[in-house]
Amino acid sequence: MHIATKGSKIDISSEKKLEEFANNLSFELKKGDIFFLIGEMGVGKTTFVKYLINNLQRMSKTNLTEVTSPTFNIMNEYNIGSLLIKHCDLYRLKSPNELENLNLFDENDKAILLIEWPQIIKKKPNSVTKLYFEYENEYQNRSIKISN
């Protein structure tokens, strides 16, 4: 990924900055990419996904859809042109055994995975980009750190 260097910190303190980061990242995506979105509630993970998916929809000249948190249904899928985006939220899962029916990493080369709350995943794929969403300065600012 060429958006930032590994370990660099990206300021997302405003929604505009978060949207710019998501839009820039959308140009770098390819089938098979897996992103773990890590951070506290309310730090901007789902908002990031919304901007990313909506920009991909604009780029492919498809209708913009409402992008919501998949907290209760665990996974939302978006078909955008030839791309399949799987947006997962594993917050409600209590055991790694509950992941089995999701088949998260099956046919991975045909989709892009965006996984919130991935800490429950014990057997991680080899190639994962981790986006750490963080609050800073007593919740006045937010940032993203990228790690592979």
Side-chain angles (χ1 to χ4, degrees), residues 16-66:
K16 182 69 177 155
K17 289 179 180 181
L18 180 60
E19 183 177 16
E20 286 173 9
F21 174 72
N23 288 349
N24 289 337
L25 182 61
S26 66
F27 289 102
E28 303 287 330
L29 295 177
K30 63 187 181 312
K31 292 177 184 176
D33 284 346
I34 302 170
F35 292 88
F36 285 0
L37 311 178
I38 302 161
E40 294 179 53
M41 271 191 206
V43 75
K45 298 180 302 290
T46 301
T47 302
F48 160 76
V49 172
K50 175 186 87 164
Y51 287 133
L52 185 74
I53 288 173
N54 284 164
N55 194 56
L56 289 169
Q57 290 169 329
R58 272 191 289 282
M59 289 167 42
S60 71
K61 295 180 173 56
T62 58
N63 291 332
L64 299 186
T65 58
E66 183 178 1

Side-chain angles (χ1 to χ4, degrees), residues 10-15 17 40 42-43 134-143:
I10 300 154
D11 180 30
I12 58 162
S13 294
S14 70
E15 269 203 55
K17 289 179 180 181
E40 294 179 53
V43 75
E134 299 175 335
Y135 284 113
E136 297 177 339
N137 194 21
E138 296 183 22
Y139 296 91
Q140 299 301 309
N141 301 92
R142 293 175 296 142
S143 66

Side-chain angles (χ1 to χ4, degrees), residues 13-133:
S13 294
S14 70
E15 269 203 55
K16 182 69 177 155
K17 289 179 180 181
L18 180 60
E19 183 177 16
E20 286 173 9
F21 174 72
N23 288 349
N24 289 337
L25 182 61
S26 66
F27 289 102
E28 303 287 330
L29 295 177
K30 63 187 181 312
K31 292 177 184 176
D33 284 346
I34 302 170
F35 292 88
F36 285 0
L37 311 178
I38 302 161
E40 294 179 53
M41 271 191 206
V43 75
K45 298 180 302 290
T46 301
T47 302
F48 160 76
V49 172
K50 175 186 87 164
Y51 287 133
L52 185 74
I53 288 173
N54 284 164
N55 194 56
L56 289 169
Q57 290 169 329
R58 272 191 289 282
M59 289 167 42
S60 71
K61 295 180 173 56
T62 58
N63 291 332
L64 299 186
T65 58
E66 183 178 1
V67 176
T68 59
S69 173
T71 299
F72 293 102
N73 53 342
I74 311 297
M75 183 187 311
N76 292 337
E77 291 186 354
Y78 302 87
N79 285 297
I80 306 168
S82 65
L83 281 179
L84 172 62
I85 310 287
K86 293 181 180 180
H87 177 206
C88 306
D89 185 328
L90 308 181
Y91 181 76
R92 292 188 319 118
L93 301 185
K94 304 295 181 221
S95 160
N97 296 338
E98 294 179 85
L99 291 170
E100 290 176 20
N101 292 335
L102 292 177
N103 300 318
L104 280 180
F105 306 115
D106 290 355
E107 298 185 19
N108 189 41
D109 58 334
K110 297 178 182 170
I112 295 169
L113 297 177
L114 306 168
I115 304 173
E116 296 185 44
W117 303 100
Q119 295 85 333
I120 197 166
I121 299 171
K122 298 299 179 207
K123 189 176 178 186
K124 296 172 178 46
N126 292 334
S127 180
V128 172
T129 300
K130 296 174 185 165
L131 300 179
Y132 293 92
F133 291 71

